[in-house]
Amino acid sequence: MSDNKQPATNLDDAELERRIRSERKFSLAEAIGRNAGGDLMKGASPVSCKRQAELQLADYLQRHLVDAERALKLVLLRRVGDSAILLRMGYADPLQALRQVIDHLLA
């Protein structure tokens, strides 16, 4: 089987894009999307630093904490997430924040 279709040229793509844009209403979001859309997330993670720290803590506790009901894990995650320690550390070392929260609870 062979396709007799010719690949679309850049001119065809440009013409199609021009026609699509001519029928759309202009908005601020449209302008921002056109200008920065390609590089908006370049090199950045779509997952926030706080969420990455929470996931790292959850993974660590899952692997190292024996807690049949998982209640202690949930309480520790909530305590560390709600504490200012993690925020103050810039979410860089969530395990150190966990250590400080546990030290505070045991003191």
Side-chain angles (χ1 to χ4, degrees), residues 9-22:
T9 64
N10 287 341
L11 185 59
D12 293 339
D13 291 343
E15 175 63 23
L16 178 62
E17 185 176 349
R18 186 191 63 75
R19 283 197 293 156
I20 290 171
R21 285 185 177 178
S22 69

Side-chain angles (χ1 to χ4, degrees), residues 3-106:
D3 282 336
N4 294 334
K5 293 182 180 179
Q6 296 284 340
T9 64
N10 287 341
L11 185 59
D12 293 339
D13 291 343
E15 175 63 23
L16 178 62
E17 185 176 349
R18 186 191 63 75
R19 283 197 293 156
I20 290 171
R21 285 185 177 178
S22 69
E23 296 175 12
R24 287 167 47 181
K25 288 186 177 183
F26 180 79
S27 68
L28 180 59
E30 177 78 18
I32 292 170
R34 286 183 193 178
N35 188 25
D39 296 332
L40 191 60
M41 291 295 290
K42 190 172 185 178
S45 174
V47 181
S48 70
C49 293
K50 180 179 183 198
R51 185 66 182 141
Q52 288 179 18
E54 290 170 348
L55 292 171
Q56 184 180 355
L57 285 170
D59 179 58
Y60 179 83
L61 291 174
Q62 180 71 32
R63 289 185 288 121
H64 294 94
L65 180 65
V66 179
D67 182 20
E69 298 293 325
R70 296 188 335 197
L72 182 57
K73 175 187 169 189
L74 294 174
V75 169
L76 285 173
L77 284 173
R78 186 176 301 130
R79 282 289 182 109
V80 174
D82 290 345
S83 74
I85 297 168
L86 191 59
L87 177 62
R88 205 170 40 242
M89 297 175 95
Y91 306 109
D93 193 2
L95 297 180
Q96 181 64 26
L98 175 64
R99 180 178 175 267
Q100 289 181 18
V101 167
I102 290 173
D103 286 346
H104 176 73
L105 290 172
L106 292 176

